[in-house]
Amino acid sequence: MAEAATILHADLDAFYASVEQLLEPSLQGKPIAVGGGVVLAASYEAKAFGVHGGMSGREARRLCPQLI
């Protein structure tokens, strides 16, 4: 009998933003994005505005002008 595989899915897009919020408490509860010209990670607060990993920083700023 074959063993069942275990699959783990982690939302790393939000993880890196959460780490930044943990390291810098003044960012907690604010929409933040990690990255340069392209968003690598977005906090859940930023995701509420439609910001997500892989989008351009310019588009992210258009969707969420208060993005940090």
Side-chain angles (χ1 to χ4, degrees), residues 15-47:
F15 172 76
Y16 294 115
S18 296
V19 169
E20 290 300 320
Q21 289 174 319
L22 180 66
L23 294 174
E24 183 54 57
S26 68
L27 296 176
Q28 292 180 4
K30 297 178 181 173
I32 69 165
V34 178
V38 175
V39 175
L40 300 175
S43 67
Y44 288 111
E45 294 84 0
K47 286 182 175 190

Side-chain angles (χ1 to χ4, degrees), residues 1-7:
M1 186 167 158
E3 291 184 34
T6 300
I7 298 172

